Amino acid sequence: MPAARRSQDTHKRRESSSHNYRKKKRPHAHDQSTPTNTTTSTSEDTSRTHSRVLSAAALAQLNHHNARHSTGAAAPQPARREHHDHSSDERDREWELELERERERMRARERRESQVRGEQARHPPKTRPKREAGYREVGGGTTAEEAIRARRQRERRRRSGRVVSGAVLEEGRGRRGGLRGGGGSESWDSLEKEVDEVAVGKKKKKLWIMIGAGVVALIILIVAIAVVVSKKSSDDEGGDESGGNIDEGPGLSGISPGSIPQGAPSWLNPFVWADTEGFNLTYTDKTVGDLPVMGLFSKWDDSAAANEHAPALNKPWGDYSKRPARGVNVGGWLSLEPFITPSLFSYDSRQGIIDEYTLCSYLAARCEGILEKHYATFVNEDTFRQIADAGLDHVRIPFSYWAVQTYDGDPYVFRTSWRYLLRAIEWCRKYGLRVNLDLHALPGSQNGWNHSGRQGAIGWLNGADGALNSKRSLDVHDRLSRFFAQPRYKNIISHYGLANEPKMTALSVSEVLAWTESAHKLVRGNGVKDAVVVFGDGFRGLHNWQGELQDLDNAALDVHQYVIFNTNQIVFNHSEKVRYACAGWTEQTVTSSDRSTGFGPTLVAEWSQADTDCTRHLTNVGWGNRWTGSLFTGNASTDVTTPRCPLQDRRCDCGPANADASEWSDSYKQFLKMFAEAQMVSFEKGYGWFYWVWDTESAPQWSYKKGLAAGVLPAKAFDRDFDCSSTIPSFSDLSEAY
């Protein structure tokens, strides 16, 4: 226990011990009947003048002294046994009383010194307090008996026949004056002074205690005032995480645990958060659209610009067909995808952990801690600084419906990802990056793929709970759009996504179109007026969108372009892939962007530099790949058992394809950079592009960050070397087996 507590407990034990001893000791001599005094008084008047109430022991000692030293005095008469004046019992009693008094003085001194040491430890004085008068320090090992004998020896040197009163020592009574011829007792003066100093010591002890209590109260008051002032300053100033100048705030040290109501849910209690950097930690249970604002600062600043080619957030972006977006996804973060973070899915295959649903089902209560650690570390403020430094101007943030709501049977972690989404938006604000909100996973799963949360059946607009999940999805958008209709998001939320990759090849097209119209109307009605409302192309063919949903204002079709998930395109060799990006995707973008041939406004929200599907877990956990002909889906109609690398034989190899970027040849790096820049050119024919993804644990062909480090992406997204107008190399020195 703390030193102060130990001292206090010791003090209490000593007091208790002393109290018990005093209760058990013999009755005081002055409480007994006064024995008959056979000694003749020399002057009765003098006795009255200097009268003191003496204990029996003191009287006995006095009479004995007078009998020995008075001349002509009558000899003492024998006394009855119980009242004899010189008995050893009486001397023992006197010695015992004096011994107990000395012990009590030593205990009092020890308690006082302990108190002083405690006060000095808490509040060190500039100079040590003077030792109280009347109390001499006893050396190590000195006992009460030794102290008494030493004092008696000193007294005997000064005494010269004077009498000591035991009653005064014990009770502190009497006035100055001699007894039987004592004209003024020096020993009496000394002892009376010692008794007075005991009282002074007690007063000083009380004073020290009062001073100590006052100092402690003052410190508590100062701390309380500092906390109140800090909190008031945070409330008045907003503690603002302004877009261009974030105030990180004092952190957990600036708030009290007592400011968090007992039983507050985890998303309102920063003391259980894995990370508090960049959050406003002042407690609030305020909501907008039934979604918490906890963690947000009250003010913001939209004056930042991502780069010299992009307007500041508080300036209009303009027409995306004339200034296309150049962005990146922070995928695999708030919505898990096994190939992006395979470490989260490193389990024995027999456990069947293949998506976020099965992961959280397996981890149960541990899932929240594991996923929040991932949220707090996989993406941070530096992520957005680097994105801006790369010449990018938009960020697409995929997140799942359980950031808003969970339902019966859901194992997902409820709402923890919500505050990370809000903080990411504020960090984007700081670096002038506009945000594309992407609801990546909808109730029931809109495509049956692992990144929708649950791999397998499609339960969104489909199956027994299709209608229920349709309604739930609209409810999620109702709450999201009311929240993001706040003025603080007007300039930064540039795109609002309704549903990522709805698999319209397996769903009723008419039902998806009707749901999209309802969701668009809801979002606009709730106040999201300026953001581009985005909906997925559903893999139904871009030309099939011509004439559809033409009543939607400021809406765009979201297209995802990859060659590796198409059995017929993955066989393209290196030069053919670049050529297809320049010609094929440019044609598709232009066709889709023209209302006479397609929907109209079109953006490509996902693409990469991957030229194989070899990446571990890319096609689903444990499914294999098309490249080597090892894709086993559990459905013979979708299995790919024949190698689909350009050589289309057993030479197809995923080993070199999955090599680290440090092992890439210069020729391969040239291909990867040209392939990326060809796609940028093509997709900028429409509303722009968002690379998939910013970073991965491995899989460098899928990581913009790793691609920059390897030199296979332009240092600035707006400053490129290849624009599809120059000759495309044959890349004949590259193996087509990987």
Side-chain angles (χ1 to χ4, degrees), residues 669-680:
K669 288 181 179 180
Q670 181 189 12
F671 157 73
L672 288 175
K673 188 169 185 287
M674 188 171 286
F675 186 38
E677 292 181 336
Q679 294 180 77
M680 293 176 181

Side-chain angles (χ1 to χ4, degrees), residues 640-661:
V640 178
T641 58
T642 301
R644 299 301 291 171
C645 79
L647 299 180
Q648 299 185 54
D649 58 28
R650 293 181 179 178
R651 288 175 292 175
C652 298
D653 188 1
C654 276
N658 288 337
D660 186 79

Side-chain angles (χ1 to χ4, degrees), residues 257-307:
S259 67
I260 310 300
Q262 188 174 7
S266 60
W267 57 88
L268 299 181
N269 184 0
F271 287 92
V272 301
W273 297 357
D275 182 23
T276 59
E277 182 182 356
F279 290 114
N280 180 359
L281 305 182
T282 303
Y283 175 81
T284 178
D285 58 359
K286 179 183 177 182
T287 62
V288 176
D290 195 34
L291 293 172
V293 301
M294 179 70 182
L296 290 175
F297 293 104
S298 61
K299 296 180 182 178
W300 61 92
D301 178 6
D302 287 345
S303 62
N307 56 66

Side-chain angles (χ1 to χ4, degrees), residues 593-628:
S593 298
D594 186 343
R595 288 196 182 273
S596 65
T597 54
F599 169 78
T602 301
L603 61 88
V604 178
E606 292 188 22
W607 63 277
S608 79
Q609 293 165 277
D611 57 335
T612 77
D613 65 343
C614 284
T615 297
R616 184 186 180 205
H617 298 332
L618 179 64
T619 59
N620 281 329
V621 176
W623 273 24
N625 56 76
R626 299 171 183 82
W627 189 258
T628 61

Side-chain angles (χ1 to χ4, degrees), residues 538-576:
F539 313 102
R540 60 188 292 244
L542 295 179
H543 62 282
N544 289 319
W545 282 96
Q546 196 278 324
E548 302 280 19
L549 303 179
Q550 297 300 297
D551 293 335
L552 305 186
D553 71 279
N554 196 20
L557 192 65
D558 179 359
V559 181
H560 299 172
Q561 298 285 31
Y562 302 100
V563 295
I564 59 172
F565 297 126
N566 184 302
T567 304
N568 295 320
Q569 293 175 354
I570 195 173
V571 297
F572 292 163
N573 63 30
H574 293 96
S575 60
E576 288 172 337

